[in-house]
Amino acid sequence: MARLYLCHIDTYFDVEPNMNILQIDSSVLGDHSVSRTLTAKVVADLVAQHPDATVTVRDLDQDSPAHLSGALLPVLGGPKDGLNDVQQAELERTETWLKEFLDADVLVVGVPQYNFSIPSQLKAWIDRIAQAGRTFRYTESGPVGLAGGKRVIVVSSRGGLRQDASALDLHEVTVDTVFRFLGITDITYVRAHGLAMGPESREAGLTAANRAVAALNDGAALAA
């Protein structure tokens, strides 16, 4: 909690810092994407609750991170000498993504299921922000996340119906594991499932998702 002190005396009043919201979209479907529609709705509702919030939108389809390769390994871990021009440009992009992630109080992440997993561009973004010594560290007793204190709202979309999370919802398992590894435990899911199983199933999935978005407006859930 930020505190503002006045006139060099012992009295003070509490000042809520502005909320930083990071919206991550990874669907390749553009305006036809259900996950994009829902992430935008979640963010709009958050801004309605917190008018002074700052929103950053990261579109991983329009600005896809290059997939991790041997040539890109040197850009992880922070600025350093000896990089070529391509590596230097990738370092600057990586540092931008990492700063956006670290500065965020709330992440709203669109996670459609592609072939049982997450979109490859979302995985590439994860590979940039999951950095030892910066967002997690290893200790004698195991890894410790360094990015705690954030809230994550995952918009999960898929063509089929949710049955067994460990077997069929690997897109959720992946992002849940990553965020918890980085120290984030406040994770909420908005699910739009059954979208490719016919009109009735799609409508039911959208209705359930919109109800879940509306439930996020609960004052306790949005408390700063």
Side-chain angles (χ1 to χ4, degrees):
M1 178 75 68
R3 285 175 173 167
L4 178 63
Y5 289 83
L6 300 175
C7 301
H8 304 288
I9 58 178
D10 291 335
T11 60
Y12 62 84
F13 62 92
D14 292 330
V15 178
E16 292 287 355
N18 290 344
M19 175 184 287
N20 288 324
I21 303 170
L22 176 59
Q23 177 181 335
I24 301 287
D25 287 311
S26 60
S27 170
V28 300
L29 298 181
D31 292 340
H32 301 288
S33 166
V34 168
S35 66
R36 286 175 180 270
T37 299
L38 291 170
T39 56
K41 183 175 180 59
V42 170
V43 170
D45 286 354
L46 283 169
V47 172
Q49 292 273 338
H50 303 271
D52 294 330
T54 299
V55 178
T56 300
V57 179
R58 180 57 60 185
D59 188 330
L60 300 181
D61 179 49
Q62 296 299 311
D63 186 19
S64 300
H67 292 144
L68 193 61
S69 66
L72 285 181
L73 282 177
V75 313
L76 303 179
K80 54 184 69 68
D81 297 327
L83 301 180
N84 60 37
D85 291 344
V86 173
Q87 290 171 326
Q88 184 61 39
E90 290 297 332
L91 171 64
E92 292 170 5
R93 297 180 78 204
T94 300
E95 291 298 297
T96 296
W97 292 323
L98 182 59
K99 186 176 188 303
E100 290 173 350
F101 171 71
L102 291 174
D103 288 349
D105 301 301
V106 181
L107 285 86
V108 181
V109 189
V111 187
Q113 185 192 80
Y114 289 171
N115 295 319
F116 304 104
S117 189
I118 63 176
S120 63
Q121 55 268 29
L122 180 56
K123 176 60 166 63
W125 176 82
I126 290 170
D127 287 338
R128 300 300 184 97
I129 60 101
Q131 295 192 29
R134 307 183 80 183
T135 52
F136 72 93
R137 63 186 175 90
Y138 290 110
T139 70
E140 293 181 355
S141 57
V144 175
L146 302 178
K150 304 178 187 299
R151 183 185 185 198
V152 173
I153 301 170
V154 175
V155 174
S156 165
S157 61
R158 56 176 294 182
L161 289 174
R162 179 181 175 87
Q163 297 178 27
D164 183 342
S166 64
L168 294 178
D169 286 331
L170 296 181
H171 64 313
E172 292 187 9
V173 172
T174 297
V175 294
D176 196 87
T177 300
V178 168
F179 287 130
R180 292 184 188 280
F181 183 84
L182 300 181
I184 302 170
T185 58
D186 187 355
I187 305 174
T188 305
Y189 286 86
V190 171
R191 294 185 172 97
H193 291 182
L195 300 177
M197 298 180 66
E200 290 185 4
S201 178
R202 180 180 178 85
E203 185 62 27
L206 293 175
T207 298
N210 283 308
R211 285 175 178 166
V213 172
L216 296 174
N217 286 325
D218 179 82
L222 291 176

